[in-house]
Amino acid sequence: MKNFIIWIILLAALGYGGSKLYLHNEVNDAMDMVVLSMAPWAKLEYDGVRSTLSGELTVENVRVQVNGYSDPLTIDRMGIDTPSFFSLLDLGDLSTKGADAIPEYIGFLIEGMRVPVDADYFDDFYAMTRQMREPGSESNVATECTGTYGFSPEALSALGYRDQVMSMTMALRDEKTQYSIEVDVSMEDMWDMDVDIAFDGNMMAELASGMAPQPRLRDMHMEVTDRSLNARVSRYCQEQGLSEVEALQAQIDSFKYIGRSNGIEFDQYMIDPYKEFLLGKPTLVVTARPTNPIAFSQIDLYKASDVPALLNLAAVAR
């Protein structure tokens, strides 16, 4: 009996080892294809592939060198998270099994994506994103020091940052009558954001039938925690010549701009908690609970000032 158990353990270990080797070879082959496809634009390198029994598969220590620039973009690790190692193996059959290979839960992760503030490519990236965020708008001291259209490399340096370090996980859970997305983002020494969004419907069934998913918002819960950015921005704005009151108003105006950019005119029920958040309360909680699930295409039909009531939008600082 003892020998039988030992043989079972050995066979299981060999099976796991063989599956892991197969999976790593598949991922390495896929990464080699990515490296080749990116070659005209960038050089991509990585140290290796790692997988776990719990269902996590990651590519370790990724380095991207964009052609024409000397500074690299580095990522500590990036990959996917699934319910189990067997789910990872199923994903390898995605081309043959289709949507059936996708587990009820799948997550994507990026840890330690580091962009030095003085990186040569960051200037061009900032200019491009600013062009997208600021069509026809004029900048001034208030918009610059609050990063209304994004923080410039010079502003980030003045705020005390040498690098922007971002980590993110995004998980998709699919159920019979709804699916949800959970997103956790951390900008080191700036802010953390946790978002849980529930949508009505069955996304996998819609995909399997050839339909484009029609997300209908059921519920949204977002928590933003300040990790020193608010105080840094207030101090920097005052160093640029704004009074303390003007600096606070500039931060509130920047928040309003975010809303308008997304088709929402924030009301006082949103502005007042955000002001408390700026004045020292560490966390801002925002919720949206529409009376009935609503498609995003429907939201666009409403005036921006009516959207907070439509979504039953609420906020509290704590």
Side-chain angles (χ1 to χ4, degrees):
M1 183 65 179
K2 182 179 178 181
N3 289 338
F4 176 74
I5 293 173
I6 291 173
W7 276 107
I8 291 294
I9 293 173
L10 286 174
L11 287 172
L14 286 171
Y16 170 65
S19 298
K20 190 165 185 173
L21 180 62
Y22 165 77
L23 182 65
H24 285 206
N25 285 337
E26 289 287 301
V27 174
N28 280 319
D29 288 346
M31 288 299 296
D32 288 343
M33 290 298 296
V34 172
V35 170
L36 286 173
S37 64
M38 288 184 63
W41 304 280
K43 178 182 179 182
L44 186 149
E45 299 177 318
Y46 63 99
D47 285 354
V49 177
R50 179 175 175 271
S51 62
T52 67
L53 276 171
S54 62
E56 189 176 89
L57 176 69
T58 54
V59 180
E60 308 286 313
N61 296 319
V62 179
R63 300 171 296 281
V64 181
Q65 186 92 38
V66 179
N67 294 346
Y69 298 98
S70 59
D71 296 318
L73 169 72
T74 61
I75 303 172
D76 290 345
R77 65 189 199 118
M78 59 189 296
I80 60 174
D81 185 26
T82 65
S84 70
F85 184 76
F86 298 106
S87 299
L88 288 176
L89 294 177
D90 284 340
L91 283 174
D93 295 328
L94 188 61
S95 59
T96 55
K97 291 185 177 180
D100 290 337
I102 301 176
E104 70 276 6
Y105 161 86
I106 185 168
F108 305 90
L109 64 94
I110 297 175
E111 287 186 7
M113 185 171 76
R114 185 177 299 272
V115 178
V117 168
D118 60 356
D120 51 4
Y121 57 82
F122 189 53
D123 279 322
D124 289 345
F125 174 77
Y126 168 71
M128 179 185 69
T129 55
R130 184 185 180 113
Q131 185 89 22
M132 295 166 58
R133 293 171 179 167
E134 190 194 7
S137 301
E138 292 186 6
S139 62
N140 51 47
V141 171
T143 59
E144 290 293 324
C145 71
T146 58
T148 300
Y149 310 120
F151 288 111
S152 67
E154 295 77 17
L156 286 169
S157 180
L159 287 166
Y161 297 107
R162 296 181 60 186
D163 303 280
Q164 285 198 290
V165 185
M166 188 271 284
S167 296
M168 182 190 76
T169 61
M170 182 177 72
L172 173 65
R173 298 180 187 276
D174 190 34
E175 300 173 16
K176 289 183 178 180
T177 59
Q178 71 173 49
Y179 55 97
S180 62
I181 297 175
E182 302 165 8
V183 182
D184 295 340
V185 184
S186 172
M187 293 295 294
E188 189 174 284
D189 292 330
M190 298 183 82
W191 48 263
D192 295 338
M193 181 176 69
D194 299 336
V195 186
D196 296 334
I197 309 175
F199 296 100
D200 198 46
N202 187 317
M203 187 182 69
M204 293 308 171
E206 291 174 357
L207 285 172
S209 65
M211 296 169 55
Q214 301 284 334
R216 295 172 293 281
L217 179 65
R218 175 180 286 192
D219 182 86
M220 186 276 292
H221 180 97
M222 177 175 68
E223 293 191 13
V224 181
T225 301
D226 177 49
R227 300 297 183 194
S228 79
L229 181 62
N230 287 346
R232 291 179 191 236
V233 169
S234 178
R235 182 169 60 250
Y236 177 48
C237 286
Q238 292 177 62
E239 290 171 354
Q240 297 305 299
L242 300 184
S243 68
E244 185 175 354
V245 173
E246 289 171 333
L248 177 62
Q249 187 58 52
Q251 288 173 284
I252 292 172
D253 290 343
S254 181
F255 179 61
K256 290 179 177 178
Y257 175 81
I258 293 172
R260 289 196 302 272
S261 299
N262 290 279
I264 305 172
E265 192 73 40
F266 290 140
D267 56 24
Q268 220 51 43
Y269 296 106
M270 291 291 296
I271 300 298
D272 289 344
Y274 186 71
K275 184 176 179 180
E276 294 179 49
F277 174 61
L278 293 175
L279 291 174
K281 290 191 175 181
T283 302
L284 179 72
V285 181
V286 179
T287 58
R289 296 188 175 93
T291 305
N292 296 301
I294 183 168
F296 289 110
S297 57
Q298 289 179 268
I299 297 174
D300 293 338
L301 302 176
Y302 288 78
K303 292 192 301 183
S305 57
D306 292 335
V307 173
L310 175 71
L311 298 180
N312 196 15
L313 206 58
V316 62
R318 62 188 190 196

